[in-house]
């Protein structure tokens, strides 16, 4: 018994369709929606929180459990304010912004120019788009703000709201959110000012020696962390791609000074392999080397993913030198050194004391969610041609999420064919046997076809139907989400089949 896949349709508004799907099926809701939402803040619903957790767990396992020399921590969001002075975020975590004088709308300069280049590309002017981006990157690298303003004006880049090119000069704005600790007399009181961390990385740096000493870690070793980060993004758009509150999965790998090139290349390869291990085709990813390096890096690149709106940054890999630990040593007046008693072949003596260098891998969990769900989303035309359907042609379609089974929110749906004749009892027994191992879902309402469609839309890889034959021979029909193929299997084999698919 099979349903037929005739064709695939990818409508122009595919991104919009994915956003609607996320809301309709409980993956993602606008935050505080009853008050009309909060810009660039989102809530994960009953399905989204499961999918997000599974992505987080997959990353965590591959970065800690499957590594000999990487451990995880969970540092606080609030950190001593000097942390951000030392890290350079107070002085340097700025983005060049420009305001439109007519609409009073503020734009991040790179986003404004990127949006213009996207328009050029959509109009088939690829070469011109590349030229504009290259010029922007050249000017950004030199912090040449008059040059950037001229680029915007020369290309007649206009405000999406007023439609005019009446721009202010370009200025820097800091992206960190701040609040106050304790009971303050004045909100201007700098002593009480604390920041919501704009990256999780600093929680790792300030704990470098705690972990190294308590865990007796030997260089090279890594510290991984997953947690919330906050940035006051000015142009926050594109759904969960750019949020004001988001989650990062970061790993700092501490190494000997001088070995950074080798480890940087190793981590580039390792991270790309991790992405490919999810079964998403390699051509969906590409590396983009940074021209303008962040204040802490001596080499940096992005792994870009082909999102519905084009190739964009998904993950950053940065060679951060000894910048952060050196800064924390200076500001805290506490040594951040490691004693390396391995023998240096060049001198025949131990490497001795040094501040380690760091390679960082940093991926946004929400961005990874968007990558996974946008790749998984498909609208399929299942219509049967007239010859097969009998007249007239039978039209049918489905929306399916081809999520990797290990990431799917629900692994197995258990569906009794009817609500009577002892079938629910068999289905409930299957639930009892399997739910301790993986997430199952029980449903007896509506026709089997409708129930299959709902499970396809949630990305559930397996549905089992309990029917009258199940009572006689202890078998069920298992239906595979992607192929829609159905086969008869023993109930006793179910757990193994699902577990093998998510191993
Ligand atoms: N510790 C280094 C760091 O934070 P980054 O390139 O600024 O580097 C790393 O951020 C990753 O965090 C990005 O590749 C992206 O996946 C994610 N990210 C950054 N800003 C984000 C935002 N506003 N919304 C969602 N994800 C974001």
């Amino acid at each position: 018994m099979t349903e037929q896949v005739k064709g695939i349709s990818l409508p122009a508004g595919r991104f919009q369709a994915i956003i609607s799907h996320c809301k309709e099926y409980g993956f993602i809701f606008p935050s505080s929606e009853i008050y009309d939402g909060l810009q660039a803040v989102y809530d994960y619903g009953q399905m989204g929180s499961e999918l997000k957790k599974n992505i987080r767990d997959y990353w965590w396992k591959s970065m800690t459990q499957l590594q000999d020399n990487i451990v995880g921590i969970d540092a606080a969001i609030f950190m001593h304010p000097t942390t951000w002075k030392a890290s350079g975020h107070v002085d340097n975590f700025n983005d060049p912004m420009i305001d439109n004088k007519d609409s009073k709308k503020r734009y991040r300069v790179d986003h404004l120019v990127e949006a213009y280049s996207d328009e050029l590309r959509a109009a088939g002017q690829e070469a011109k788009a590349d030229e504009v981006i290259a010029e922007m990157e050249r000017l950004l690298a030199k912090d040449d703000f008059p040059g950037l303003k001229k680029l915007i004006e020369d290309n007649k880049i206009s405000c999406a709201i007023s439609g005019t090119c009446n721009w202010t000069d370009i200025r820097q704005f800091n992206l960190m959110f701040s609040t106050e600790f304790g009971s303050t007399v004045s909100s201007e009181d700098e002593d009480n000012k604390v920041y919501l961390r704009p990256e999780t990385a600093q929680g790792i740096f300030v704990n470098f020696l705690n972990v190294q000493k308590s865990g007796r870690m030997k260089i090279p070793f890594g510290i991984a962390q997953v947690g919330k980060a906050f940035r006051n993004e000015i142009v926050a758009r594109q759904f969960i791609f750019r949020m004001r509150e988001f989650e990062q999965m970061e790993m700092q790998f501490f190494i000997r000074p001088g070995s950074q090139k080798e480890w940087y290349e190793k981590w580039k390869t390792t991270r790309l392999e991790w992405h490919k291990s999810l079964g998403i085709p390699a051509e969906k990813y590409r590396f983009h080397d940074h021209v303008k390096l962040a204040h802490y890096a001596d080499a940096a690149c992005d792994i870009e993913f082909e999102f519905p709106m084009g190739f964009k940054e998904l993950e950053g890999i940065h060679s951060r030198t000894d910048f952060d630990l050196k800064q924390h040593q200076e500001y805290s007046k506490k040594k951040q050194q490691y004693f390396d008693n391995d023998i240096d072949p060049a001198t025949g003596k131990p490497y001795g004391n040094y501040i380690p260098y760091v390679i960082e891998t940093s991926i946004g969990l929400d961005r990874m969610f968007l990558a996974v769900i946008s790749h998984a989303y498909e609208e399929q035309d299942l219509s049967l041609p007239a010859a097969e359907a009998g007249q007239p042609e039978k039209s049918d379609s489905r929306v399916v999420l081809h999520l990797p089974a290990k990431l799917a929110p629900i692994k197995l749906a258990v569906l009794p064919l009817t609500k009577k004749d002892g079938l629910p009892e068999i289905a409930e027994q299957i639930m009892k046997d399997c739910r301790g191992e993986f997430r199952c879902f029980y449903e007896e309402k509506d026709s089997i076809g409708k129930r299959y469609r709902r499970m396809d839309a949630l990305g559930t890889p397996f549905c089992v139907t309990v029917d009258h034959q199940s009572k006689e021979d202890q078998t069920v029909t298992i239906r595979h989400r992607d192929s829609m193929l159905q086969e008869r299997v023993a109930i006793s084999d179910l757990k193994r089949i699902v577990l093998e698919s998510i191993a």
Side-chain angles (χ1 to χ4, degrees):
M1 232 194 313
T2 62
E3 298 156 76
Q4 192 190 332
V5 181
K6 203 177 89 177
I8 302 164
S9 72
L10 295 177
R14 187 166 184 270
F15 193 20
Q16 194 49 51
I18 293 167
I19 296 170
S20 306
H21 188 86
C22 281
K23 179 151 185 251
E24 186 179 347
Y25 286 92
F27 285 91
I28 298 173
F29 310 123
S31 169
S32 26
E33 196 186 8
I34 58 168
Y35 296 104
D36 297 331
L38 188 62
Q39 210 196 11
V41 186
Y42 290 90
D43 296 339
Y44 287 82
Q46 67 281 13
M47 288 299 135
S49 55
E50 286 288 337
L51 173 54
K52 193 176 175 199
K53 177 186 168 298
N54 293 342
I55 298 173
R56 191 193 289 119
D57 289 351
Y58 187 61
W59 182 89
W60 186 258
K61 185 173 174 185
S62 77
M63 287 306 241
T64 61
Q65 190 177 326
L66 298 179
Q67 306 280 340
D68 294 330
N69 53 353
I70 303 183
V71 291
I73 63 164
D74 181 12
I77 287 173
F78 287 128
M79 299 184 70
H80 193 284
T82 310
T83 309
W84 305 110
K85 196 79 197 140
S87 68
H89 283 81
V90 171
D91 296 324
N92 296 318
F93 196 53
N94 303 314
D95 273 332
M97 307 280 184
I98 192 165
D99 292 8
N100 184 268
K101 290 184 194 165
D102 299 318
S103 66
K104 310 281 183 253
K105 177 107 182 118
R106 180 163 294 162
Y107 293 88
R108 239 175 82 170
V109 168
D110 57 336
H111 293 171
L112 188 66
V113 177
E114 273 170 17
Y116 172 66
S117 85
D118 286 347
E119 279 171 27
L120 289 173
R121 270 181 233 289
Q125 298 184 50
E126 290 284 332
K128 169 91 174 141
D130 289 345
E131 198 182 293
V132 169
I133 292 293
E135 180 63 358
M136 176 189 77
E137 288 188 341
R138 194 182 67 76
L139 294 165
L140 277 174
K142 295 193 300 177
D143 281 337
D144 181 349
F145 295 163
L148 282 162
K149 187 176 178 192
K150 190 166 177 311
L151 178 73
I152 290 169
E153 287 172 342
D154 287 352
N155 284 282
K156 300 196 172 41
I157 301 178
S158 59
C159 166
I161 294 171
S162 67
T164 69
C165 302
N166 193 9
W167 297 108
T168 60
D169 286 342
I170 293 172
R171 283 169 298 155
Q172 296 274 30
F173 284 89
N174 195 283
L175 297 183
M176 281 196 294
F177 285 103
S178 64
T179 184
E180 297 103 41
F181 247 32
S183 56
T184 48
V185 179
S186 151
S187 60
E188 301 297 307
D189 192 344
E190 283 293 316
D191 289 349
N192 292 322
K193 188 169 181 178
V194 287
Y195 296 99
L196 296 182
R197 65 182 177 197
E199 62 170 13
T200 58
Q202 297 305 322
I204 294 178
F205 287 122
V206 299
N207 279 298
F208 158 68
L209 278 183
N210 280 338
V211 174
Q212 190 271 316
K213 292 205 163 101
S214 61
R216 299 185 299 132
M217 307 297 289
K218 260 179 81 73
I219 270 179
F221 75 91
I223 305 178
Q225 178 169 217
V226 181
K228 290 268 178 152
F230 304 82
R231 294 182 189 179
N232 196 3
E233 299 283 4
I234 298 302
V235 182
R237 55 189 175 138
Q238 293 172 333
F239 194 38
I240 56 168
F241 181 79
R242 197 176 306 287
M243 304 159 88
R244 293 201 165 112
E245 174 182 340
F246 57 100
E247 217 168 326
Q248 286 187 316
M249 306 189 287
E250 298 201 299
M251 193 278 302
Q252 313 295 322
F253 200 69
F254 298 91
I255 55 173
R256 261 179 215 139
S259 64
Q260 65 267 33
K261 275 205 174 70
E262 177 198 336
W263 282 109
Y264 176 65
E265 292 305 326
K266 266 193 192 151
W267 277 110
K268 275 176 75 172
T269 311
T270 305
R271 291 305 303 146
L272 190 61
E273 288 306 314
W274 180 83
H275 286 283
K276 290 197 286 187
S277 72
L278 285 169
I280 299 178
E283 59 269 23
K284 285 277 189 176
Y285 300 94
R286 70 182 188 196
F287 283 113
H288 169 78
D289 292 321
H290 287 200
V291 179
K292 181 178 161 76
L293 292 171
H295 57 273
Y296 48 73
D298 71 356
C301 69
D302 298 332
I303 296 180
E304 292 188 338
F305 181 77
E306 192 176 12
F307 288 99
M309 62 284 191
F311 273 100
K312 301 267 177 208
E313 175 186 349
L314 170 60
E315 171 159 5
I317 299 163
H318 312 125
S319 173
R320 287 182 85 127
T321 67
D322 56 358
F323 175 85
D324 301 85
L325 289 179
K326 222 179 192 168
Q327 288 290 103
H328 289 307
Q329 173 167 291
E330 191 183 323
Y331 278 77
S332 67
K333 308 274 181 274
K334 312 246 165 42
K335 282 220 175 318
Q336 298 297 308
Q337 287 185 342
Y338 170 82
F339 183 76
D340 190 339
N341 54 15
D342 280 3
I343 301 298
D344 177 354
T347 63
K349 293 183 184 150
Y351 284 97
N353 272 314
Y354 56 79
I355 298 180
Y357 270 45
V358 170
I359 304 297
E360 167 184 73
T361 72
S362 173
I363 176 167
L365 175 51
D366 312 85
R367 248 179 229 189
M368 187 61 199
F369 186 110
L370 183 58
V372 166
I373 206 160
S374 58
H375 178 68
Y377 180 90
E378 187 184 7
E379 294 173 10
Q380 280 185 336
D381 179 0
L382 306 172
S383 304
L384 286 176
E388 284 181 40
Q391 297 297 331
E393 179 180 341
K394 192 167 168 260
S395 75
D396 194 7
S397 66
R398 70 167 182 166
V399 171
V400 54
L401 293 183
H402 300 286
L403 294 171
K406 50 172 77 88
L407 300 185
I410 299 168
K411 313 297 186 202
L412 179 71
V414 186
L415 316 171
L417 191 62
T418 65
K419 291 182 199 167
K420 48 186 198 309
D421 302 335
L423 304 189
E425 286 75 6
I426 298 175
E428 274 157 21
Q429 188 56 46
I430 295 173
M431 286 290 292
K432 228 182 197 170
D433 290 346
C434 294
R435 71 190 320 165
E437 303 281 343
F438 42 79
R439 182 83 196 265
C440 305
F441 183 81
Y442 177 89
E443 192 167 46
E444 52 182 35
K445 202 170 161 283
D446 290 330
S447 70
I448 281 291
K450 272 194 185 155
R451 284 184 263 172
Y452 282 162
R453 288 291 182 276
R454 269 203 297 274
M455 286 301 123
D456 289 343
L458 298 177
T460 305
F462 302 104
C463 291
V464 294
T465 305
V466 178
D467 57 18
H468 292 91
Q469 192 184 327
S470 310
K471 289 208 304 189
E472 283 154 29
D473 63 5
Q474 294 300 297
T475 65
V476 284
T477 303
I478 188 163
R479 181 218 187 233
H480 301 262
R481 175 197 66 201
D482 295 344
S483 63
M484 292 182 284
L485 282 171
Q486 299 182 17
E487 56 180 324
R488 203 88 208 164
V489 297
I491 291 175
S492 55
D493 282 341
L494 275 179
K495 203 190 282 184
R496 177 188 54 77
I497 293 171
V498 178
L499 284 175
E500 276 175 9
S501 83
I502 59 177

